[in-house]
Amino acid sequence: MYIGGASIFQLESFINGYVMARSELNMPSTDRENDFFENFHNWLQERLDARTTKSWSSIILFRSFNERDALKRFFPLWEEFRNRGDRSLAEEIEAIAADRGIREERTKNLV
């Protein structure tokens, strides 16, 4: 994959171009592509505690030092998003809480 430079926005343009090309060729979207376009933005907002209508690339950039750093951060986030079904809801909540710096107090069940 060649995107021209280390930029989260160039990656976003590449992905959008890929989708447009598939559409122009009347190729149906895959389940993974549909999942990305339908769910990644909302998942990312939750994951990074970012309430905004900005694009997913802008959300990642906001949490990064620069566009190069944002590009590097995209791939681990994408992998985490793709593997989210492998985690239980409790694990997902703990991961979000840990990222936000929230410490959960654990209490023992009293019988």
Side-chain angles (χ1 to χ4, degrees):
M1 170 175 67
Y2 177 77
I3 62 171
S7 165
I8 190 72
F9 296 115
Q10 287 180 313
L11 173 64
E12 181 181 40
S13 292
F14 177 88
I15 292 170
N16 290 337
Y18 168 81
V19 170
M20 177 64 94
R22 288 182 61 96
S23 175
E24 291 291 318
L25 295 171
N26 294 318
M27 296 174 69
S29 299
T30 66
D31 289 342
R32 184 174 284 173
E33 291 166 349
N34 289 334
D35 187 33
F36 178 82
F37 285 105
E38 293 171 10
N39 300 308
F40 184 67
H41 185 267
N42 290 337
W43 176 87
L44 191 64
Q45 285 182 317
E46 277 296 313
R47 176 68 174 78
L48 298 181
D49 193 26
R51 301 291 177 250
T52 181
T53 57
K54 300 272 187 193
S55 68
W56 58 263
S57 57
S58 293
I59 293 171
I60 296 172
L61 178 62
F62 183 72
R63 300 284 191 222
S64 305
F65 296 111
N66 54 37
E67 284 194 49
R68 179 182 296 272
D69 182 51
L71 181 63
K72 288 179 184 177
R73 290 197 68 195
F74 168 79
F75 294 100
L77 288 165
W78 182 58
E79 284 296 320
E80 185 178 338
F81 170 76
R82 285 182 51 209
N83 295 325
R84 72 193 185 284
D86 297 339
R87 294 161 96 170
S88 70
L89 179 59
E91 290 171 323
E92 188 72 23
I93 291 169
E94 285 182 21
I96 291 169
D99 189 58
R100 293 181 186 171
I102 300 170
R103 298 288 180 204
E104 179 185 56
E105 290 185 24
R106 301 203 184 263
T107 59
K108 294 181 181 180
N109 290 335
L110 299 175
V111 179

